[in-house]
Protein backbone atom coordinates (compact mmCIF):
# COMPACT_ATOMS: atom_id res chain seq x y z
CA UNK A 1 0.00 0.00 0.00
CA UNK A 2 0.95 3.68 -0.26
CA UNK A 3 1.38 3.98 3.51
CA UNK A 4 3.64 0.94 3.65
CA UNK A 5 5.73 2.35 0.79
CA UNK A 6 6.08 5.64 2.69
CA UNK A 7 7.18 3.75 5.80
CA UNK A 8 9.81 1.90 3.77
CA UNK A 9 11.14 5.19 2.40
CA UNK A 10 11.31 6.68 5.88
CA UNK A 11 13.11 3.63 7.24
CA UNK A 12 15.62 3.76 4.39
CA UNK A 13 16.25 7.47 4.97
CA UNK A 14 16.84 6.90 8.67
CA UNK A 15 18.93 3.73 8.55
CA UNK A 16 20.36 3.18 5.08
CA UNK A 17 20.96 6.52 3.38
CA UNK A 18 23.47 5.08 0.94
CA UNK A 19 20.89 2.63 -0.38
CA UNK A 20 18.27 5.39 -0.41
CA UNK A 21 20.43 7.44 -2.80
CA UNK A 22 20.80 4.39 -5.03
CA UNK A 23 17.04 3.82 -5.06
CA UNK A 24 16.20 7.52 -5.46
CA UNK A 25 19.13 9.08 -7.34
CA UNK A 26 17.27 12.31 -8.20
CA UNK A 27 16.35 13.08 -4.59
CA UNK A 28 17.75 16.30 -3.15
CA UNK A 29 17.44 15.10 0.47
CA UNK A 30 20.86 15.37 2.09
CA UNK A 31 22.32 12.99 4.64
CA UNK A 32 22.43 15.68 7.30
CA UNK A 33 18.68 16.24 6.89
CA UNK A 34 17.98 12.49 6.84
CA UNK A 35 19.85 12.18 10.14
CA UNK A 36 17.32 14.54 11.73
CA UNK A 37 14.28 12.41 10.86
CA UNK A 38 14.51 10.23 13.94
CA UNK A 39 15.10 13.08 16.42
CA UNK A 40 11.45 14.19 16.75
CA UNK A 41 12.22 16.97 19.20
CA UNK A 42 8.53 17.74 19.77
CA UNK A 43 8.15 14.37 21.53
CA UNK A 44 11.15 14.67 23.90
CA UNK A 45 10.00 15.19 27.50
CA UNK A 46 10.98 18.59 28.93
CA UNK A 47 12.32 19.81 25.62
CA UNK A 48 11.12 23.41 24.97
CA UNK A 49 9.22 22.33 21.84
CA UNK A 50 7.48 19.51 23.71
CA UNK A 51 6.62 21.82 26.59
CA UNK A 52 5.04 24.33 24.22
CA UNK A 53 3.25 21.64 22.20
CA UNK A 54 1.79 20.14 25.37
CA UNK A 55 0.59 23.51 26.66
CA UNK A 56 -1.20 24.27 23.40
CA UNK A 57 -2.84 20.83 23.35
CA UNK A 58 -4.00 21.17 26.97
CA UNK A 59 -5.43 24.63 26.35
CA UNK A 60 -7.31 23.56 23.22
CA UNK A 61 -8.70 20.43 24.86
CA UNK A 62 -9.80 22.36 27.96
CA UNK A 63 -11.45 24.97 25.74
CA UNK A 64 -13.35 22.25 23.87
CA UNK A 65 -14.54 20.67 27.11
CA UNK A 66 -15.59 24.00 28.62
CA UNK A 67 -17.60 24.92 25.55
CA UNK A 68 -19.21 21.52 25.10
CA UNK A 69 -17.45 20.82 21.82
CA UNK A 70 -16.19 17.50 20.49
CA UNK A 71 -12.70 16.80 21.81
CA UNK A 72 -9.57 17.23 19.73
CA UNK A 73 -7.77 14.10 18.56
CA UNK A 74 -4.00 14.42 18.95
CA UNK A 75 -1.64 13.34 16.16
CA UNK A 76 2.09 13.83 16.63
CA UNK A 77 3.78 10.88 14.93
CA UNK A 78 2.59 11.04 11.31
CA UNK A 79 5.12 9.98 8.67
CA UNK A 80 6.86 13.08 7.22
CA UNK A 81 7.07 11.37 3.81
CA UNK A 82 3.99 12.60 1.92
CA UNK A 83 2.85 12.98 -1.67
CA UNK A 84 2.41 16.08 -3.79
CA UNK A 85 -1.37 15.70 -3.83
CA UNK A 86 -1.72 15.90 -0.04
CA UNK A 87 0.97 18.53 0.46
CA UNK A 88 0.11 20.89 -2.39
CA UNK A 89 -2.73 19.90 -4.73
CA UNK A 90 -5.42 19.25 -2.10
CA UNK A 91 -4.56 22.58 -0.46
CA UNK A 92 -4.82 24.57 -3.70
CA UNK A 93 -1.14 25.52 -3.74
CA UNK A 94 -0.54 26.77 -7.29
CA UNK A 95 1.53 24.76 -9.74
CA UNK A 96 3.96 27.68 -10.04
CA UNK A 97 4.18 28.40 -6.31
CA UNK A 98 7.75 28.70 -5.05
CA UNK A 99 7.15 26.11 -2.34
CA UNK A 100 6.84 23.41 -5.04
CA UNK A 101 10.28 24.11 -6.48
CA UNK A 102 13.19 21.81 -5.71
CA UNK A 103 15.13 24.89 -4.57
CA UNK A 104 12.76 25.11 -1.59
CA UNK A 105 11.54 21.56 -0.99
CA UNK A 106 13.17 18.20 -0.30
CA UNK A 107 11.89 15.74 -2.91
CA UNK A 108 12.16 11.96 -2.74
CA UNK A 109 11.09 11.57 -6.37
CA UNK A 110 8.61 13.25 -8.71
CA UNK A 111 5.68 12.39 -6.42
CA UNK A 112 7.06 12.00 -2.89
CA UNK A 113 8.62 14.65 -0.64
CA UNK A 114 9.34 15.51 2.97
CA UNK A 115 6.34 17.51 4.15
CA UNK A 116 6.79 21.28 4.05
CA UNK A 117 3.97 21.85 6.57
CA UNK A 118 1.75 19.78 8.84
CA UNK A 119 -1.20 20.87 6.67
CA UNK A 120 -0.10 18.03 4.38
CA UNK A 121 -2.19 15.74 6.63
CA UNK A 122 -5.28 17.95 6.72
CA UNK A 123 -7.42 16.44 3.97
CA UNK A 124 -6.43 12.88 4.92
CA UNK A 125 -7.54 13.35 8.53
CA UNK A 126 -10.73 15.19 7.57
CA UNK A 127 -11.59 12.38 5.14
CA UNK A 128 -11.42 9.96 8.10
CA UNK A 129 -14.50 11.74 9.53
CA UNK A 130 -12.56 13.55 12.24
CA UNK A 131 -14.23 16.82 13.18
CA UNK A 132 -11.50 18.17 15.48
CA UNK A 133 -7.80 17.41 15.61
CA UNK A 134 -4.36 18.81 16.42
CA UNK A 135 -1.46 17.57 14.32
CA UNK A 136 2.16 18.40 15.12
CA UNK A 137 5.44 17.26 13.67
CA UNK A 138 8.75 18.04 12.03
CA UNK A 139 8.63 19.79 8.64
CA UNK A 140 11.36 20.31 6.06
CA UNK A 141 12.33 23.24 3.83
CA UNK A 142 15.51 24.25 2.05
CA UNK A 143 16.23 27.70 3.40
CA UNK A 144 18.82 30.33 4.22
CA UNK A 145 21.26 29.99 7.11
CA UNK A 146 20.87 32.32 10.07
CA UNK A 147 19.76 32.26 13.70
CA UNK A 148 16.05 31.85 12.88
CA UNK A 149 16.12 29.44 9.90
CA UNK A 150 16.86 25.73 9.86
CA UNK A 151 16.05 23.03 7.28
CA UNK A 152 14.04 21.13 9.88
CA UNK A 153 11.54 22.80 12.18
CA UNK A 154 8.23 21.94 13.84
CA UNK A 155 4.64 22.99 13.29
CA UNK A 156 1.24 22.41 14.80
CA UNK A 157 -1.98 22.30 12.81
CA UNK A 158 -5.44 22.65 14.33
CA UNK A 159 -8.74 21.88 12.57
CA UNK A 160 -12.42 21.90 13.58
CA UNK A 161 -15.29 20.97 11.26
CA UNK A 162 -18.90 22.10 11.73
CA UNK A 163 -22.23 20.97 10.36
CA UNK A 164 -23.69 24.22 9.03
CA UNK A 165 -27.27 23.61 10.16
CA UNK A 166 -26.16 22.61 13.66
CA UNK A 167 -23.82 25.61 13.83
CA UNK A 168 -26.60 28.04 12.94
CA UNK A 169 -29.06 26.38 15.32
CA UNK A 170 -26.65 26.41 18.27
CA UNK A 171 -25.88 30.08 17.64
CA UNK A 172 -29.55 31.05 17.50
CA UNK A 173 -29.14 32.46 14.01
CA UNK A 174 -31.98 32.14 11.55
CA UNK A 175 -31.22 32.27 7.83
CA UNK A 176 -33.57 31.68 4.93
CA UNK A 177 -32.45 28.30 3.52
CA UNK A 178 -33.45 29.48 0.05
CA UNK A 179 -30.66 32.08 0.23
CA UNK A 180 -27.45 29.96 0.12
CA UNK A 181 -25.21 33.02 -0.28
CA UNK A 182 -26.50 34.52 2.98
CA UNK A 183 -26.27 31.14 4.70
CA UNK A 184 -22.63 30.68 3.67
CA UNK A 185 -21.80 34.23 4.70
CA UNK A 186 -23.33 33.76 8.16
CA UNK A 187 -21.61 30.39 8.65
CA UNK A 188 -18.25 31.90 7.68
CA UNK A 189 -18.79 34.67 10.23
CA UNK A 190 -19.63 32.19 13.00
CA UNK A 191 -16.71 29.89 12.15
CA UNK A 192 -14.32 32.86 12.10
CA UNK A 193 -15.61 34.03 15.46
CA UNK A 194 -15.18 30.59 17.00
CA UNK A 195 -11.64 30.34 15.62
CA UNK A 196 -10.57 33.79 16.82
CA UNK A 197 -12.07 33.22 20.25
CA UNK A 198 -10.05 30.03 20.71
CA UNK A 199 -6.78 31.52 19.44
CA UNK A 200 -7.14 34.78 21.35
CA UNK A 201 -7.46 32.79 24.54
CA UNK A 202 -4.51 30.60 23.56
CA UNK A 203 -2.29 33.62 22.94
CA UNK A 204 -3.27 35.18 26.26
CA UNK A 205 -2.50 31.91 28.07
CA UNK A 206 0.98 31.78 26.49
CA UNK A 207 2.01 35.43 26.59
CA UNK A 208 0.11 36.65 29.65
CA UNK A 209 -3.35 38.04 30.29
CA UNK A 210 -2.15 41.63 29.84
CA UNK A 211 -0.54 41.20 26.42
CA UNK A 212 -1.86 43.25 23.50
CA UNK A 213 -3.18 41.35 20.47
CA UNK A 214 -4.35 42.28 17.00
CA UNK A 215 -5.97 40.41 14.13
CA UNK A 216 -5.02 41.16 10.55
CA UNK A 217 -6.39 39.90 7.27
CA UNK A 218 -4.00 37.66 5.35
CA UNK A 219 -3.96 35.33 2.38
CA UNK A 220 -3.48 31.58 2.23
CA UNK A 221 -4.66 29.50 -0.73
CA UNK A 222 -6.38 26.93 1.50
CA UNK A 223 -8.47 29.29 3.70
CA UNK A 224 -10.97 32.01 2.87
CA UNK A 225 -11.13 34.35 4.67
CA UNK A 226 -7.63 34.15 6.17
CA UNK A 227 -6.22 35.86 9.25
CA UNK A 228 -2.96 36.47 11.05
CA UNK A 229 -2.67 36.89 14.82
CA UNK A 230 0.01 39.23 16.16
CA UNK A 231 1.13 39.84 19.75
CA UNK A 232 2.87 42.97 21.02
CA UNK A 233 5.93 41.52 22.74
CA UNK A 234 8.88 43.55 24.03
CA UNK A 235 7.70 46.54 22.05
CA UNK A 236 7.42 44.70 18.72
CA UNK A 237 4.51 43.08 16.92
CA UNK A 238 5.19 39.36 16.59
CA UNK A 239 3.33 37.15 14.12
CA UNK A 240 2.08 34.21 16.17
CA UNK A 241 0.12 32.13 13.66
CA UNK A 242 -1.94 32.04 10.49
CA UNK A 243 -5.47 30.71 10.24
CA UNK A 244 -8.82 30.98 8.51
CA UNK A 245 -12.03 29.35 7.32
CA UNK A 246 -11.20 26.24 5.28
CA UNK A 247 -11.67 26.82 1.55
CA UNK A 248 -14.74 25.06 0.14
CA UNK A 249 -12.64 23.24 -2.48
CA UNK A 250 -10.31 21.90 0.22
CA UNK A 251 -13.38 20.47 1.96
CA UNK A 252 -14.42 18.85 -1.33
CA UNK A 253 -10.93 17.41 -1.72
CA UNK A 254 -11.36 15.87 1.74
CA UNK A 255 -14.67 14.28 0.77
CA UNK A 256 -17.02 16.78 2.45
CA UNK A 257 -19.90 18.73 0.92
CA UNK A 258 -19.22 22.45 1.53
CA UNK A 259 -22.96 23.10 1.31
CA UNK A 260 -23.34 21.00 4.45
CA UNK A 261 -20.02 21.54 6.25
CA UNK A 262 -17.64 24.34 7.15
CA UNK A 263 -14.59 24.55 9.36
CA UNK A 264 -11.49 26.38 10.45
CA UNK A 265 -7.80 25.62 10.49
CA UNK A 266 -4.76 27.23 12.07
CA UNK A 267 -1.04 26.59 11.83
CA UNK A 268 1.82 27.77 13.99
CA UNK A 269 5.57 27.29 14.16
CA UNK A 270 6.73 25.84 17.48
CA UNK A 271 10.32 27.13 17.19
CA UNK A 272 9.14 30.64 16.39
CA UNK A 273 7.05 30.79 19.56
CA UNK A 274 9.54 28.91 21.74
CA UNK A 275 12.40 31.25 20.80
CA UNK A 276 10.32 34.15 22.12
CA UNK A 277 8.75 32.51 25.17
CA UNK A 278 11.95 30.79 26.37
CA UNK A 279 14.23 33.59 25.04
CA UNK A 280 16.34 31.14 23.02
CA UNK A 281 18.53 33.25 20.68
CA UNK A 282 19.54 30.69 18.06
CA UNK A 283 17.42 28.00 16.41
CA UNK A 284 20.38 25.58 16.39
CA UNK A 285 20.13 25.30 20.18
CA UNK A 286 16.95 23.23 19.90
CA UNK A 287 19.06 20.44 18.41
CA UNK A 288 21.69 20.56 21.15
CA UNK A 289 22.27 17.43 23.21
CA UNK A 290 24.29 19.39 25.77
CA UNK A 291 22.85 18.90 29.23
CA UNK A 292 23.60 22.52 30.01
CA UNK A 293 20.82 23.35 27.57
CA UNK A 294 18.41 20.49 28.18
CA UNK A 295 18.44 20.69 31.99
CA UNK A 296 17.21 24.29 31.95
CA UNK A 297 13.64 23.31 31.06
CA UNK A 298 11.06 21.34 33.01
CA UNK A 299 7.63 22.52 31.87
CA UNK A 300 6.63 24.15 35.13
CA UNK A 301 5.02 27.60 35.26
CA UNK A 302 6.25 30.18 34.69
CA UNK A 303 8.28 29.04 31.69
CA UNK A 304 12.03 28.89 32.26
CA UNK A 305 14.08 31.50 30.42
CA UNK A 306 17.17 30.24 28.64
CA UNK A 307 20.42 31.16 30.39
CA UNK A 308 23.44 31.24 28.03
CA UNK A 309 26.09 28.80 29.18
CA UNK A 310 28.79 29.74 26.69
CA UNK A 311 29.79 32.67 24.54
CA UNK A 312 32.44 32.09 21.92
CA UNK A 313 33.78 34.51 19.32
CA UNK A 314 32.74 34.24 15.70
CA UNK A 315 35.06 33.15 12.94
CA UNK A 316 34.49 34.45 9.40
CA UNK A 317 35.44 32.91 6.08
CA UNK A 318 34.70 34.34 2.64
CA UNK A 319 34.29 32.24 -0.48
CA UNK A 320 33.58 33.27 -4.07
CA UNK A 321 33.09 31.31 -7.29
CA UNK A 322 31.71 31.50 -10.80
CA UNK A 323 28.24 30.06 -11.29
CA UNK A 324 27.96 27.24 -13.84
CA UNK A 325 27.94 28.67 -17.35
CA UNK A 326 25.12 26.40 -18.43
CA UNK A 327 22.72 23.91 -16.94
CA UNK A 328 19.17 24.40 -18.11
CA UNK A 329 17.68 24.46 -21.58
CA UNK A 330 17.03 28.20 -21.33
CA UNK A 331 20.77 28.79 -20.92
CA UNK A 332 20.63 29.65 -17.20
CA UNK A 333 22.89 27.96 -14.68
CA UNK A 334 20.06 26.33 -12.75
CA UNK A 335 21.83 27.49 -9.58
CA UNK A 336 19.86 28.72 -6.57
CA UNK A 337 21.36 30.28 -3.45
CA UNK A 338 19.71 27.51 -1.43
CA UNK A 339 21.97 25.07 -3.28
CA UNK A 340 24.96 26.83 -1.73
CA UNK A 341 23.34 26.76 1.71
CA UNK A 342 22.83 23.01 1.37
CA UNK A 343 26.49 22.46 0.47
CA UNK A 344 27.57 24.48 3.50
CA UNK A 345 25.17 22.70 5.86
CA UNK A 346 26.31 19.32 4.62
CA UNK A 347 30.00 20.18 5.05
CA UNK A 348 29.94 22.19 8.28
CA UNK A 349 26.64 21.31 9.95
CA UNK A 350 25.60 23.37 12.95
CA UNK A 351 29.03 24.93 13.18
CA UNK A 352 27.75 27.61 10.79
CA UNK A 353 25.68 30.36 12.38
CA UNK A 354 25.00 32.54 9.35
CA UNK A 355 25.72 32.75 5.63
CA UNK A 356 25.40 35.99 3.70
CA UNK A 357 25.55 36.52 -0.06
CA UNK A 358 27.39 39.86 0.07
CA UNK A 359 28.45 40.39 -3.53
CA UNK A 360 27.45 39.43 -7.07
CA UNK A 361 29.32 40.28 -10.25
CA UNK A 362 28.41 39.70 -13.88
CA UNK A 363 31.07 39.72 -16.57
CA UNK A 364 29.27 41.14 -19.56
CA UNK A 365 31.98 39.92 -21.95
CA UNK A 366 31.61 36.27 -20.99
CA UNK A 367 28.09 36.32 -19.60
CA UNK A 368 29.34 34.63 -16.43
CA UNK A 369 28.15 35.55 -12.92
CA UNK A 370 30.08 35.18 -9.69
CA UNK A 371 28.83 35.01 -6.11
CA UNK A 372 30.69 35.90 -2.92
CA UNK A 373 29.50 34.52 0.41
CA UNK A 374 30.54 35.31 3.97
CA UNK A 375 30.29 32.34 6.31
CA UNK A 376 30.08 32.98 10.04
CA UNK A 377 31.23 30.04 12.15
CA UNK A 378 30.42 29.89 15.85
CA UNK A 379 30.23 26.70 17.88
CA UNK A 380 27.78 26.55 20.75
CA UNK A 381 30.14 24.73 23.07
CA UNK A 382 33.71 25.59 22.13
CA UNK A 383 35.91 28.12 20.34
CA UNK A 384 36.67 28.00 16.63
CA UNK A 385 39.90 29.17 15.06
CA UNK A 386 40.95 30.77 11.79
CA UNK A 387 43.21 27.81 10.96
CA UNK A 388 42.64 26.49 7.47
CA UNK A 389 43.34 22.81 6.88
CA UNK A 390 44.02 21.83 3.26
Amino acid sequence: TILEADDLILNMLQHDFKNFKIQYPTSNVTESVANKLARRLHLLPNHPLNILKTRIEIYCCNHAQTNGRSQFRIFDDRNPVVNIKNCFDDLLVGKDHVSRQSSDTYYIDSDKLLRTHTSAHQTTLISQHLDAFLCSGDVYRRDEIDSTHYPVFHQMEGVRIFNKRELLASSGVQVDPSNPEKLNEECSRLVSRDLQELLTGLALSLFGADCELRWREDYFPFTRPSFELEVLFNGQWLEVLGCGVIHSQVLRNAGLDPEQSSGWAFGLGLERLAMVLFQIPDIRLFWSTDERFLQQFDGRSPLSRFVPYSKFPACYKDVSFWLPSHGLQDGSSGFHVNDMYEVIREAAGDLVEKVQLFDQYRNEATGRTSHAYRILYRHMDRSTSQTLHV
Side-chain angles (χ1 to χ4, degrees):
T1 66
I2 293 176
L3 289 179
E4 289 173 342
D6 291 348
D7 288 340
L8 289 173
I9 293 172
L10 179 62
N11 184 69
M12 202 183 311
L13 277 165
Q14 292 177 328
H15 305 293
D16 192 359
F17 187 76
K18 183 178 294 186
N19 188 40
F20 167 79
K21 291 300 290 185
I22 294 173
Q23 296 291 324
Y24 300 92
T26 63
S27 174
N28 62 350
V29 178
T30 62
E31 188 169 10
S32 62
V33 166
N35 289 338
K36 299 289 194 300
L37 284 161
R39 294 287 303 275
R40 306 206 294 177
L41 303 182
H42 63 294
L43 299 181
L44 297 180
N46 292 329
H47 190 282
L49 299 181
N50 177 263
I51 292 170
L52 183 56
K53 165 188 173 292
T54 301
R55 289 198 171 204
I56 295 171
E57 290 171 348
I58 290 174
Y59 179 86
C60 290
C61 290
N62 286 343
H63 184 274
Q65 183 175 3
T66 301
N67 289 274
R69 297 283 172 79
S70 59
Q71 196 52 266
F72 289 96
R73 288 278 304 277
I74 306 298
F75 297 90
D76 54 19
D77 60 353
R78 306 288 290 188
N79 191 332
V81 176
V82 298
N83 59 48
I84 289 176
K85 180 180 182 296
N86 292 150
C87 195
F88 297 131
D89 295 344
D90 283 353
L91 300 173
L92 313 182
V93 178
K95 298 292 185 182
D96 59 348
H97 195 278
V98 65
S99 64
R100 287 181 179 255
Q101 298 178 9
S102 60
S103 60
D104 286 57
T105 295
Y106 291 104
Y107 280 94
I108 308 297
D109 56 23
S110 60
D111 181 57
K112 302 286 187 181
L113 63 147
L114 296 180
R115 63 188 170 207
T116 60
H117 49 189
T118 48
S119 301
H121 304 292
Q122 185 179 125
T123 55
T124 299
L125 293 174
I126 293 175
S127 70
Q128 295 172 1
H129 309 293
L130 297 171
D131 62 359
F133 58 84
L134 299 171
C135 180
S136 57
D138 40 323
V139 299
Y140 300 80
R141 296 181 193 173
R142 302 179 84 211
D143 214 333
E144 59 193 292
I145 300 177
D146 60 30
S147 62
T148 62
H149 292 88
Y150 203 80
V152 191
F153 56 105
H154 299 75
Q155 286 186 343
M156 177 179 285
E157 167 102 353
V159 168
R160 182 173 287 282
I161 303 296
F162 299 88
N163 176 283
K164 285 187 173 181
R165 291 186 180 276
E166 294 176 359
L167 175 64
L168 291 170
S170 65
S171 302
V173 176
Q174 294 184 344
V175 180
D176 183 354
S178 65
N179 188 345
E181 184 176 342
K182 181 63 177 178
L183 186 147
N184 290 334
E185 179 183 321
E186 191 62 31
C187 283
S188 179
R189 184 186 68 82
L190 292 172
V191 171
S192 296
R193 186 177 71 181
D194 185 85
L195 168 67
Q196 293 185 353
E197 178 187 310
L198 168 70
L199 297 179
T200 295
L202 173 62
L204 293 175
S205 75
L206 293 175
F207 289 90
D210 297 329
C211 75
E212 187 175 346
L213 310 175
R214 71 181 182 190
W215 286 97
R216 305 181 69 177
E217 291 188 3
D218 207 330
Y219 169 78
F220 306 107
F222 32 79
T223 53
R224 184 183 297 173
S226 303
F227 310 101
E228 175 184 277
L229 176 59
E230 294 184 342
V231 174
L232 186 62
F233 189 80
N234 289 339
Q236 292 186 326
W237 285 104
L238 170 72
E239 178 188 345
V240 175
L241 52 83
C243 61
V245 178
I246 300 173
H247 196 291
S248 58
Q249 185 57 49
V250 174
L251 293 176
R252 289 190 188 95
N253 293 340
L256 297 185
D257 180 357
E259 297 302 316
Q260 304 294 325
S261 301
S262 185
W264 52 247
F266 71 82
L268 55 85
L270 291 176
E271 277 90 346
R272 182 181 182 85
L273 289 178
M275 290 180 76
V276 173
L277 294 170
F278 293 96
Q279 297 182 5
I280 296 173
D282 194 304
I283 196 169
R284 293 175 298 166
L285 281 164
F286 289 111
W287 297 90
S288 175
T289 56
D290 194 311
E291 289 299 320
R292 291 175 295 176
F293 174 77
L294 297 174
Q295 289 183 353
Q296 292 192 34
F297 311 101
D298 56 19
R300 290 180 293 184
S301 294
L303 293 177
S304 304
R305 300 295 189 261
F306 172 68
V307 178
Y309 52 84
S310 61
K311 182 65 175 177
F312 296 104
C315 172
Y316 294 92
K317 295 290 183 183
D318 291 346
V319 59
S320 62
F321 53 88
W322 292 104
L323 301 190
S325 57
H326 57 81
L328 300 180
Q329 291 182 352
D330 61 5
S332 64
S333 68
F335 176 85
H336 191 281
V337 291
N338 283 350
D339 298 330
M340 181 61 178
Y341 298 145
E342 287 297 298
V343 170
I344 294 172
R345 288 190 194 278
E346 196 68 6
D350 289 350
L351 189 62
V352 177
E353 180 175 297
K354 183 177 181 179
V355 177
Q356 178 188 6
L357 172 61
F358 69 88
D359 191 31
Q360 300 182 63
Y361 168 73
R362 179 173 176 81
N363 186 317
E364 296 299 337
T366 64
R368 300 288 300 276
T369 299
S370 70
H371 279 188
Y373 293 84
R374 176 155 295 159
I375 306 173
L376 186 156
Y377 295 87
R378 192 197 315 265
H379 200 283
M380 293 294 183
D381 306 316
R382 61 179 185 270
S383 294
T384 56
S385 72
Q386 295 286 353
T387 303
L388 179 63
H389 298 282
V390 180

